[in-house]
Every structure is written in C-alpha cells, then in structure tokens.
Amino acid sequence: KQEVTQIPAALSVPEGENLVLNCSFTDSAIYNLQWFRQDPGKGLTSLLLIQSSQREQTSGRLNASLDKSSGRSTLYIAASQPGDSATYLCAVRPMNYGGATNKLIFGTGTLLAVQP
Amino acid sequence: GAVVSQHPSRVICKSGTSVKIECRSLDFQATTMFWYRQFPKQSLMLMATSNEGSKATYEQGVEKDKFLINHASLTLSTLTVTSAHPEDSSFYICSATPARGRKTGELFFGEGSRLTVL
C-alpha cells in the first residue's frame, strides 16, 4: 500500500530564506508526483507536476526534484516571502491502485509560515 | 486554463437533511472527477471516483448510499450528502483532469465546500 509522508509537519522561517520541503513515498511505481499549495479553508493550487521519467521541474522560485528509486521528492523555495505561507502537499499517482489511474495519494502536508 | 469550480463554498444544514455540492470544470472536459474529504489539520482522503455516464467507484469504507455521486456531463459532477449528520461535517474538495490536451494527467482542484451539519 502506497504511503506518502512529509517532513517537517510545520516550518517557520524568516523572509528571504531559501527552504526545502521533503516528501517520501513507499512504492516507487508511480506515474507522477504533484506538489500543491493549500491556503486556509481553500482548495488546492497545483504548483508543479513531475512525471516519473523526469528528475525535476521549475516554476519561478519553485524547484521540485524527484528521485523515484529512493522514493523521495523535494520542493525548494527560493527567497521565501510572507505570501508563500500556506500548507504544501505532495501527492503521488500510483501505478498499482486498480481502477482509474488518476487517483492521487496525498501526504500529510507541511505548514509553512514565512515571517516578515 | 484548467479551472475547476465548486458550489456552494459553504453550507450549513440541519441534521437529517440532504446537501448537494456541484463541481464544474470550466474550460475543459473531464471524463473523470474525484471527490475528496478533508478533516481539520489532516490530509485529503479520496472518497470516490466519478465517471461520466456511469456509476461512481467508491473507496473502501465510504457509504455509496450516503454519498451519492452523479456525473451527467463532461463538465459537471455532483456529490449529495444524504441524511446528513454532524459527523459528516467536513471540507469536501473535487478535482478533475483534462480528458485531452497538454495538461492531461495533471489534477486540478476546486476551491472546496465547507459543510457544517448542526
């Protein structure tokens, strides 16, 4: 059974710092991995999608890496800003799940607070 | 592009009543939509997969007679919580992936619907 874990559960940093969020998954048989941002009481905003054949994806100040063999992904945020404060969720699309193949298994999330 | 809209964003109802939540893909067609449930400070748990023109597929432990799902068109799925009880109070989020095009395989989420059952 695929399990996704995120460390740390919460993180507080001063504005301007670079930071790394970690995501690990137990089964390397995945189609892709997706990072999301969730603001309090809101839905999810897709940040980056990494296909299983890719090693990393970049969008602006965000860079996500994927090491499928070790079951790890990192989300790097450069020059953090107070507006980056949110919960960050990673999710994998497993191959061995049966039925529809677009199911996602979510991690527990990292609550990020960027202090001005 | 790839916008998913949910309605209502908040709903309060009395115990025993039924509540319908709509999920629409605004600028793409989605043959499959997903319904998730999120409890406070917890991650999202998949409830069911909504298939256009056919029956939904429910995850283990989810009561299909309580959570009715209808996916009558390529842009609309509805979740009806029947005979709601306080323990059904939660944040319900839908997601969809474009059936074709550059973003196929990437899931996009609605803004969520906060259900409070009194």
Side-chain angles (χ1 to χ4, degrees):
Chain A
K1 178 184 175 184
Q2 177 73 267
E3 293 184 0
V4 182
T5 305
Q6 289 184 245
I7 295 173
L11 180 64
S12 180
V13 300
E15 181 177 4
E17 265 200 17
N18 303 323
L19 58 100
V20 175
L21 307 181
N22 297 291
C23 172
S24 61
F25 45 97
T26 55
D27 188 343
S28 61
I30 63 172
Y31 287 109
N32 57 47
L33 182 145
Q34 203 166 347
W35 281 93
F36 296 90
R37 167 186 173 140
Q38 185 177 31
D39 293 291
K42 299 291 186 181
L44 274 66
T45 300
S46 178
L47 298 174
L48 290 164
L49 170 70
I50 311 176
Q51 301 292 351
S52 63
S53 58
Q54 297 174 324
R55 297 285 291 182
E56 65 177 344
Q57 284 285 328
T58 298
S59 175
R61 294 182 293 109
L62 305 179
N63 176 277
S65 69
L66 175 63
D67 184 343
K68 199 174 65 168
S69 61
S70 67
R72 295 179 182 178
S73 176
T74 61
L75 178 66
Y76 174 83
I77 302 178
S80 58
Q81 304 170 357
D84 294 331
S85 299
T87 296
Y88 289 81
L89 295 161
C90 71
V92 299
R93 184 180 157 200
M95 289 182 175
N96 305 319
Y97 209 79
T101 56
N102 272 335
K103 294 182 179 181
L104 290 184
I105 307 297
F106 280 85
T108 47
T110 294
L111 177 61
L112 173 65
V114 180
Q115 309 298 332
Chain B
V3 178
V4 176
S5 173
Q6 267 185 254
H7 178 81
S9 58
R10 291 180 181 273
V11 56
I12 300 173
C13 69
K14 293 181 179 180
S15 184
T17 61
S18 294
V19 175
K20 180 186 286 187
I21 301 170
E22 294 185 346
C23 177
R24 294 180 184 273
S25 54
L26 298 184
D27 51 1
F28 64 94
Q29 294 182 335
T31 53
T32 305
M33 292 184 175
F34 300 88
W35 287 95
Y36 290 83
R37 182 173 182 176
Q38 185 178 35
F39 289 105
K41 297 186 178 181
Q42 293 188 24
S43 192
L44 281 74
M45 297 298 295
L46 180 65
M47 297 175 64
T49 302
S50 172
N51 304 298
E52 188 267 334
S54 64
K55 291 182 179 180
T57 304
Y58 290 82
E59 295 299 300
Q60 192 173 12
V62 178
E63 299 176 60
K64 61 181 181 181
D65 293 331
K66 181 167 190 61
F67 298 100
L68 300 179
I69 292 173
N70 183 276
H71 194 156
S73 78
L74 288 171
T75 59
L76 174 63
S77 174
T78 61
L79 168 68
T80 301
V81 183
T82 63
S83 186
H85 288 93
E87 59 265 29
D88 298 324
S89 298
S90 188
F91 193 56
Y92 294 87
I93 309 177
C94 73
S95 70
T97 185
R100 63 185 67 84
R102 182 172 60 88
K103 290 187 177 293
T104 297
E106 187 171 354
L107 275 174
F108 296 91
F109 285 76
E111 282 291 298
S113 299
R114 171 76 59 192
L115 170 64
T116 302
V117 184
L118 303 177

PDB file of all heavy atoms in Angstrom, chain B residues 37-65:
ATOM      1  N   ARG B  37     -12.273  14.264   0.816  1.00  0.00           N
ATOM      2  CA  ARG B  37     -12.774  14.791   2.077  1.00  0.00           C
ATOM      3  C   ARG B  37     -11.563  15.128   2.927  1.00  0.00           C
ATOM      4  O   ARG B  37     -10.569  14.386   2.937  1.00  0.00           O
ATOM      5  CB  ARG B  37     -13.628  13.726   2.772  1.00  0.00           C
ATOM      6  CG  ARG B  37     -14.256  14.163   4.065  1.00  0.00           C
ATOM      7  CD  ARG B  37     -15.208  13.065   4.547  1.00  0.00           C
ATOM      8  NE  ARG B  37     -15.878  13.460   5.769  1.00  0.00           N
ATOM      9  CZ  ARG B  37     -16.811  12.733   6.379  1.00  0.00           C
ATOM     10  NH1 ARG B  37     -17.177  11.575   5.862  1.00  0.00           N
ATOM     11  NH2 ARG B  37     -17.369  13.165   7.470  1.00  0.00           N
ATOM     12  N   GLN B  38     -11.632  16.262   3.600  1.00  0.00           N
ATOM     13  CA  GLN B  38     -10.504  16.682   4.421  1.00  0.00           C
ATOM     14  C   GLN B  38     -11.000  17.122   5.782  1.00  0.00           C
ATOM     15  O   GLN B  38     -11.791  18.069   5.890  1.00  0.00           O
ATOM     16  CB  GLN B  38      -9.748  17.832   3.748  1.00  0.00           C
ATOM     17  CG  GLN B  38      -8.489  18.252   4.467  1.00  0.00           C
ATOM     18  CD  GLN B  38      -7.742  19.351   3.745  1.00  0.00           C
ATOM     19  OE1 GLN B  38      -8.357  20.222   3.137  1.00  0.00           O
ATOM     20  NE2 GLN B  38      -6.423  19.322   3.787  1.00  0.00           N
ATOM     21  N   PHE B  39     -10.507  16.445   6.821  1.00  0.00           N
ATOM     22  CA  PHE B  39     -10.809  16.838   8.188  1.00  0.00           C
ATOM     23  C   PHE B  39      -9.777  17.869   8.632  1.00  0.00           C
ATOM     24  O   PHE B  39      -8.684  17.938   8.061  1.00  0.00           O
ATOM     25  CB  PHE B  39     -10.812  15.618   9.104  1.00  0.00           C
ATOM     26  CG  PHE B  39     -11.984  14.717   8.860  1.00  0.00           C
ATOM     27  CD1 PHE B  39     -11.828  13.509   8.182  1.00  0.00           C
ATOM     28  CD2 PHE B  39     -13.256  15.060   9.294  1.00  0.00           C
ATOM     29  CE1 PHE B  39     -12.907  12.673   7.944  1.00  0.00           C
ATOM     30  CE2 PHE B  39     -14.342  14.230   9.054  1.00  0.00           C
ATOM     31  CZ  PHE B  39     -14.159  13.042   8.376  1.00  0.00           C
ATOM     32  N   PRO B  40     -10.111  18.660   9.666  1.00  0.00           N
ATOM     33  CA  PRO B  40      -9.197  19.719  10.114  1.00  0.00           C
ATOM     34  C   PRO B  40      -7.785  19.210  10.378  1.00  0.00           C
ATOM     35  O   PRO B  40      -7.594  18.191  11.041  1.00  0.00           O
ATOM     36  CB  PRO B  40      -9.862  20.228  11.392  1.00  0.00           C
ATOM     37  CG  PRO B  40     -11.309  19.961  11.192  1.00  0.00           C
ATOM     38  CD  PRO B  40     -11.376  18.671  10.435  1.00  0.00           C
ATOM     39  N   LYS B  41      -6.822  19.898   9.817  1.00  0.00           N
ATOM     40  CA  LYS B  41      -5.404  19.609  10.005  1.00  0.00           C
ATOM     41  C   LYS B  41      -5.013  18.218   9.531  1.00  0.00           C
ATOM     42  O   LYS B  41      -4.009  17.668  10.000  1.00  0.00           O
ATOM     43  CB  LYS B  41      -5.010  19.814  11.466  1.00  0.00           C
ATOM     44  CG  LYS B  41      -5.187  21.251  11.936  1.00  0.00           C
ATOM     45  CD  LYS B  41      -4.665  21.465  13.333  1.00  0.00           C
ATOM     46  CE  LYS B  41      -4.827  22.927  13.739  1.00  0.00           C
ATOM     47  NZ  LYS B  41      -4.319  23.202  15.098  1.00  0.00           N
ATOM     48  N   GLN B  42      -5.788  17.667   8.641  1.00  0.00           N
ATOM     49  CA  GLN B  42      -5.444  16.370   8.068  1.00  0.00           C
ATOM     50  C   GLN B  42      -5.347  16.482   6.554  1.00  0.00           C
ATOM     51  O   GLN B  42      -5.747  17.487   5.966  1.00  0.00           O
ATOM     52  CB  GLN B  42      -6.487  15.322   8.459  1.00  0.00           C
ATOM     53  CG  GLN B  42      -6.505  15.008   9.940  1.00  0.00           C
ATOM     54  CD  GLN B  42      -7.400  13.829  10.253  1.00  0.00           C
ATOM     55  OE1 GLN B  42      -7.653  12.976   9.392  1.00  0.00           O
ATOM     56  NE2 GLN B  42      -7.876  13.763  11.472  1.00  0.00           N
ATOM     57  N   SER B  43      -4.809  15.454   5.953  1.00  0.00           N
ATOM     58  CA  SER B  43      -4.656  15.492   4.502  1.00  0.00           C
ATOM     59  C   SER B  43      -5.954  15.067   3.817  1.00  0.00           C
ATOM     60  O   SER B  43      -6.952  14.774   4.469  1.00  0.00           O
ATOM     61  CB  SER B  43      -3.508  14.597   4.080  1.00  0.00           C
ATOM     62  OG  SER B  43      -3.177  14.846   2.735  1.00  0.00           O
ATOM     63  N   LEU B  44      -5.920  15.071   2.509  1.00  0.00           N
ATOM     64  CA  LEU B  44      -7.107  14.725   1.740  1.00  0.00           C
ATOM     65  C   LEU B  44      -7.244  13.215   1.620  1.00  0.00           C
ATOM     66  O   LEU B  44      -6.276  12.509   1.363  1.00  0.00           O
ATOM     67  CB  LEU B  44      -7.016  15.307   0.332  1.00  0.00           C
ATOM     68  CG  LEU B  44      -7.334  16.789   0.171  1.00  0.00           C
ATOM     69  CD1 LEU B  44      -6.205  17.644   0.705  1.00  0.00           C
ATOM     70  CD2 LEU B  44      -7.593  17.114  -1.285  1.00  0.00           C
ATOM     71  N   MET B  45      -8.459  12.758   1.779  1.00  0.00           N
ATOM     72  CA  MET B  45      -8.760  11.340   1.627  1.00  0.00           C
ATOM     73  C   MET B  45      -9.729  11.163   0.462  1.00  0.00           C
ATOM     74  O   MET B  45     -10.799  11.771   0.446  1.00  0.00           O
ATOM     75  CB  MET B  45      -9.381  10.780   2.908  1.00  0.00           C
ATOM     76  CG  MET B  45      -8.464  10.851   4.113  1.00  0.00           C
ATOM     77  SD  MET B  45      -6.958   9.890   3.905  1.00  0.00           S
ATOM     78  CE  MET B  45      -7.615   8.241   3.809  1.00  0.00           C
ATOM     79  N   LEU B  46      -9.338  10.334  -0.482  1.00  0.00           N
ATOM     80  CA  LEU B  46     -10.191  10.088  -1.637  1.00  0.00           C
ATOM     81  C   LEU B  46     -11.443   9.338  -1.214  1.00  0.00           C
ATOM     82  O   LEU B  46     -11.366   8.314  -0.533  1.00  0.00           O
ATOM     83  CB  LEU B  46      -9.427   9.280  -2.685  1.00  0.00           C
ATOM     84  CG  LEU B  46     -10.194   8.933  -3.962  1.00  0.00           C
ATOM     85  CD1 LEU B  46     -10.540  10.195  -4.739  1.00  0.00           C
ATOM     86  CD2 LEU B  46      -9.372   7.985  -4.829  1.00  0.00           C
ATOM     87  N   MET B  47     -12.601   9.869  -1.615  1.00  0.00           N
ATOM     88  CA  MET B  47     -13.871   9.226  -1.298  1.00  0.00           C
ATOM     89  C   MET B  47     -14.343   8.360  -2.464  1.00  0.00           C
ATOM     90  O   MET B  47     -14.757   7.221  -2.277  1.00  0.00           O
ATOM     91  CB  MET B  47     -14.943  10.275  -1.014  1.00  0.00           C
ATOM     92  CG  MET B  47     -14.691  11.149   0.178  1.00  0.00           C
ATOM     93  SD  MET B  47     -15.940  12.428   0.315  1.00  0.00           S
ATOM     94  CE  MET B  47     -17.407  11.452   0.599  1.00  0.00           C
ATOM     95  N   ALA B  48     -14.315   8.958  -3.661  1.00  0.00           N
ATOM     96  CA  ALA B  48     -14.885   8.243  -4.797  1.00  0.00           C
ATOM     97  C   ALA B  48     -14.387   8.847  -6.092  1.00  0.00           C
ATOM     98  O   ALA B  48     -13.957  10.002  -6.147  1.00  0.00           O
ATOM     99  CB  ALA B  48     -16.407   8.305  -4.752  1.00  0.00           C
ATOM    100  N   THR B  49     -14.452   8.030  -7.130  1.00  0.00           N
ATOM    101  CA  THR B  49     -14.118   8.448  -8.480  1.00  0.00           C
ATOM    102  C   THR B  49     -15.415   8.546  -9.267  1.00  0.00           C
ATOM    103  O   THR B  49     -16.180   7.574  -9.337  1.00  0.00           O
ATOM    104  CB  THR B  49     -13.178   7.432  -9.145  1.00  0.00           C
ATOM    105  OG1 THR B  49     -12.005   7.310  -8.345  1.00  0.00           O
ATOM    106  CG2 THR B  49     -12.800   7.871 -10.543  1.00  0.00           C
ATOM    107  N   SER B  50     -15.640   9.704  -9.844  1.00  0.00           N
ATOM    108  CA  SER B  50     -16.869   9.971 -10.580  1.00  0.00           C
ATOM    109  C   SER B  50     -16.607   9.797 -12.070  1.00  0.00           C
ATOM    110  O   SER B  50     -15.736  10.455 -12.628  1.00  0.00           O
ATOM    111  CB  SER B  50     -17.325  11.411 -10.287  1.00  0.00           C
ATOM    112  OG  SER B  50     -18.403  11.785 -11.107  1.00  0.00           O
ATOM    113  N   ASN B  51     -17.337   8.895 -12.693  1.00  0.00           N
ATOM    114  CA  ASN B  51     -17.134   8.593 -14.109  1.00  0.00           C
ATOM    115  C   ASN B  51     -18.319   9.085 -14.933  1.00  0.00           C
ATOM    116  O   ASN B  51     -19.468   8.731 -14.644  1.00  0.00           O
ATOM    117  CB  ASN B  51     -16.978   7.081 -14.297  1.00  0.00           C
ATOM    118  CG  ASN B  51     -15.861   6.506 -13.445  1.00  0.00           C
ATOM    119  OD1 ASN B  51     -14.710   6.864 -13.601  1.00  0.00           O
ATOM    120  ND2 ASN B  51     -16.218   5.618 -12.542  1.00  0.00           N
ATOM    121  N   GLU B  52     -18.044   9.875 -15.948  1.00  0.00           N
ATOM    122  CA  GLU B  52     -19.102  10.429 -16.786  1.00  0.00           C
ATOM    123  C   GLU B  52     -19.899   9.326 -17.461  1.00  0.00           C
ATOM    124  O   GLU B  52     -19.329   8.445 -18.093  1.00  0.00           O
ATOM    125  CB  GLU B  52     -18.497  11.372 -17.833  1.00  0.00           C
ATOM    126  CG  GLU B  52     -19.508  12.146 -18.641  1.00  0.00           C
ATOM    127  CD  GLU B  52     -19.892  11.450 -19.934  1.00  0.00           C
ATOM    128  OE1 GLU B  52     -19.073  10.670 -20.445  1.00  0.00           O
ATOM    129  OE2 GLU B  52     -21.001  11.718 -20.438  1.00  0.00           O
ATOM    130  N   GLY B  53     -21.197   9.345 -17.235  1.00  0.00           N
ATOM    131  CA  GLY B  53     -22.086   8.399 -17.877  1.00  0.00           C
ATOM    132  C   GLY B  53     -22.157   7.026 -17.252  1.00  0.00           C
ATOM    133  O   GLY B  53     -22.828   6.132 -17.775  1.00  0.00           O
ATOM    134  N   SER B  54     -21.486   6.832 -16.146  1.00  0.00           N
ATOM    135  CA  SER B  54     -21.548   5.525 -15.475  1.00  0.00           C
ATOM    136  C   SER B  54     -21.492   5.709 -13.963  1.00  0.00           C
ATOM    137  O   SER B  54     -21.375   6.824 -13.465  1.00  0.00           O
ATOM    138  CB  SER B  54     -20.406   4.626 -15.945  1.00  0.00           C
ATOM    139  OG  SER B  54     -19.168   5.168 -15.573  1.00  0.00           O
ATOM    140  N   LYS B  55     -21.565   4.599 -13.259  1.00  0.00           N
ATOM    141  CA  LYS B  55     -21.591   4.662 -11.796  1.00  0.00           C
ATOM    142  C   LYS B  55     -20.238   5.077 -11.241  1.00  0.00           C
ATOM    143  O   LYS B  55     -19.187   4.759 -11.795  1.00  0.00           O
ATOM    144  CB  LYS B  55     -21.988   3.304 -11.224  1.00  0.00           C
ATOM    145  CG  LYS B  55     -23.431   2.918 -11.496  1.00  0.00           C
ATOM    146  CD  LYS B  55     -23.752   1.572 -10.849  1.00  0.00           C
ATOM    147  CE  LYS B  55     -25.207   1.194 -11.085  1.00  0.00           C
ATOM    148  NZ  LYS B  55     -25.538  -0.120 -10.460  1.00  0.00           N
ATOM    149  N   ALA B  56     -20.309   5.739 -10.092  1.00  0.00           N
ATOM    150  CA  ALA B  56     -19.072   6.135  -9.424  1.00  0.00           C
ATOM    151  C   ALA B  56     -18.421   4.930  -8.754  1.00  0.00           C
ATOM    152  O   ALA B  56     -19.085   3.942  -8.423  1.00  0.00           O
ATOM    153  CB  ALA B  56     -19.375   7.209  -8.385  1.00  0.00           C
ATOM    154  N   THR B  57     -17.141   5.036  -8.562  1.00  0.00           N
ATOM    155  CA  THR B  57     -16.372   3.996  -7.860  1.00  0.00           C
ATOM    156  C   THR B  57     -15.999   4.538  -6.491  1.00  0.00           C
ATOM    157  O   THR B  57     -15.323   5.564  -6.399  1.00  0.00           O
ATOM    158  CB  THR B  57     -15.099   3.643  -8.638  1.00  0.00           C
ATOM    159  OG1 THR B  57     -15.440   3.253  -9.966  1.00  0.00           O
ATOM    160  CG2 THR B  57     -14.367   2.505  -7.946  1.00  0.00           C
ATOM    161  N   TYR B  58     -16.425   3.841  -5.436  1.00  0.00           N
ATOM    162  CA  TYR B  58     -16.212   4.329  -4.086  1.00  0.00           C
ATOM    163  C   TYR B  58     -15.016   3.639  -3.443  1.00  0.00           C
ATOM    164  O   TYR B  58     -14.752   2.456  -3.661  1.00  0.00           O
ATOM    165  CB  TYR B  58     -17.466   4.088  -3.241  1.00  0.00           C
ATOM    166  CG  TYR B  58     -18.632   4.968  -3.647  1.00  0.00           C
ATOM    167  CD1 TYR B  58     -19.445   4.629  -4.736  1.00  0.00           C
ATOM    168  CD2 TYR B  58     -18.911   6.146  -2.967  1.00  0.00           C
ATOM    169  CE1 TYR B  58     -20.497   5.440  -5.123  1.00  0.00           C
ATOM    170  CE2 TYR B  58     -19.963   6.965  -3.343  1.00  0.00           C
ATOM    171  CZ  TYR B  58     -20.751   6.605  -4.418  1.00  0.00           C
ATOM    172  OH  TYR B  58     -21.784   7.419  -4.801  1.00  0.00           O
ATOM    173  N   GLU B  59     -14.316   4.401  -2.613  1.00  0.00           N
ATOM    174  CA  GLU B  59     -13.202   3.835  -1.857  1.00  0.00           C
ATOM    175  C   GLU B  59     -13.752   3.013  -0.691  1.00  0.00           C
ATOM    176  O   GLU B  59     -14.896   3.204  -0.245  1.00  0.00           O
ATOM    177  CB  GLU B  59     -12.293   4.941  -1.338  1.00  0.00           C
ATOM    178  CG  GLU B  59     -11.603   5.719  -2.443  1.00  0.00           C
ATOM    179  CD  GLU B  59     -10.710   4.841  -3.298  1.00  0.00           C
ATOM    180  OE1 GLU B  59      -9.760   4.227  -2.757  1.00  0.00           O
ATOM    181  OE2 GLU B  59     -10.962   4.769  -4.524  1.00  0.00           O
ATOM    182  N   GLN B  60     -12.918   2.138  -0.209  1.00  0.00           N
ATOM    183  CA  GLN B  60     -13.320   1.279   0.893  1.00  0.00           C
ATOM    184  C   GLN B  60     -13.709   2.107   2.106  1.00  0.00           C
ATOM    185  O   GLN B  60     -12.997   3.047   2.484  1.00  0.00           O
ATOM    186  CB  GLN B  60     -12.165   0.334   1.255  1.00  0.00           C
ATOM    187  CG  GLN B  60     -12.554  -0.800   2.182  1.00  0.00           C
ATOM    188  CD  GLN B  60     -11.418  -1.793   2.359  1.00  0.00           C
ATOM    189  OE1 GLN B  60     -10.279  -1.536   1.975  1.00  0.00           O
ATOM    190  NE2 GLN B  60     -11.721  -2.937   2.934  1.00  0.00           N
ATOM    191  N   GLY B  61     -14.840   1.761   2.685  1.00  0.00           N
ATOM    192  CA  GLY B  61     -15.295   2.457   3.879  1.00  0.00           C
ATOM    193  C   GLY B  61     -16.193   3.643   3.611  1.00  0.00           C
ATOM    194  O   GLY B  61     -16.726   4.237   4.563  1.00  0.00           O
ATOM    195  N   VAL B  62     -16.390   4.014   2.361  1.00  0.00           N
ATOM    196  CA  VAL B  62     -17.261   5.138   2.016  1.00  0.00           C
ATOM    197  C   VAL B  62     -18.627   4.596   1.619  1.00  0.00           C
ATOM    198  O   VAL B  62     -18.729   3.746   0.742  1.00  0.00           O
ATOM    199  CB  VAL B  62     -16.665   5.965   0.860  1.00  0.00           C
ATOM    200  CG1 VAL B  62     -17.611   7.099   0.473  1.00  0.00           C
ATOM    201  CG2 VAL B  62     -15.308   6.508   1.249  1.00  0.00           C
ATOM    202  N   GLU B  63     -19.672   5.078   2.285  1.00  0.00           N
ATOM    203  CA  GLU B  63     -21.023   4.580   2.029  1.00  0.00           C
ATOM    204  C   GLU B  63     -21.590   5.194   0.756  1.00  0.00           C
ATOM    205  O   GLU B  63     -21.864   6.391   0.693  1.00  0.00           O
ATOM    206  CB  GLU B  63     -21.932   4.937   3.207  1.00  0.00           C
ATOM    207  CG  GLU B  63     -21.511   4.346   4.540  1.00  0.00           C
ATOM    208  CD  GLU B  63     -22.415   4.842   5.660  1.00  0.00           C
ATOM    209  OE1 GLU B  63     -23.633   4.591   5.567  1.00  0.00           O
ATOM    210  OE2 GLU B  63     -21.919   5.491   6.584  1.00  0.00           O
ATOM    211  N   LYS B  64     -21.805   4.379  -0.241  1.00  0.00           N
ATOM    212  CA  LYS B  64     -22.292   4.896  -1.517  1.00  0.00           C
ATOM    213  C   LYS B  64     -23.735   5.377  -1.436  1.00  0.00           C
ATOM    214  O   LYS B  64     -24.153   6.235  -2.222  1.00  0.00           O
ATOM    215  CB  LYS B  64     -22.149   3.853  -2.616  1.00  0.00           C
ATOM    216  CG  LYS B  64     -22.938   2.583  -2.382  1.00  0.00           C
ATOM    217  CD  LYS B  64     -22.700   1.612  -3.532  1.00  0.00           C
ATOM    218  CE  LYS B  64     -23.492   0.332  -3.351  1.00  0.00           C
ATOM    219  NZ  LYS B  64     -23.248  -0.624  -4.473  1.00  0.00           N
ATOM    220  N   ASP B  65     -24.514   4.834  -0.510  1.00  0.00           N
ATOM    221  CA  ASP B  65     -25.901   5.286  -0.371  1.00  0.00           C
ATOM    222  C   ASP B  65     -25.989   6.601   0.380  1.00  0.00           C
ATOM    223  O   ASP B  65     -27.004   7.289   0.317  1.00  0.00           O
ATOM    224  CB  ASP B  65     -26.729   4.227   0.359  1.00  0.00           C
ATOM    225  CG  ASP B  65     -26.869   2.962  -0.463  1.00  0.00           C
ATOM    226  OD1 ASP B  65     -26.837   3.070  -1.707  1.00  0.00           O
ATOM    227  OD2 ASP B  65     -26.992   1.880   0.131  1.00  0.00           O
TER     228      ASP B  65
END
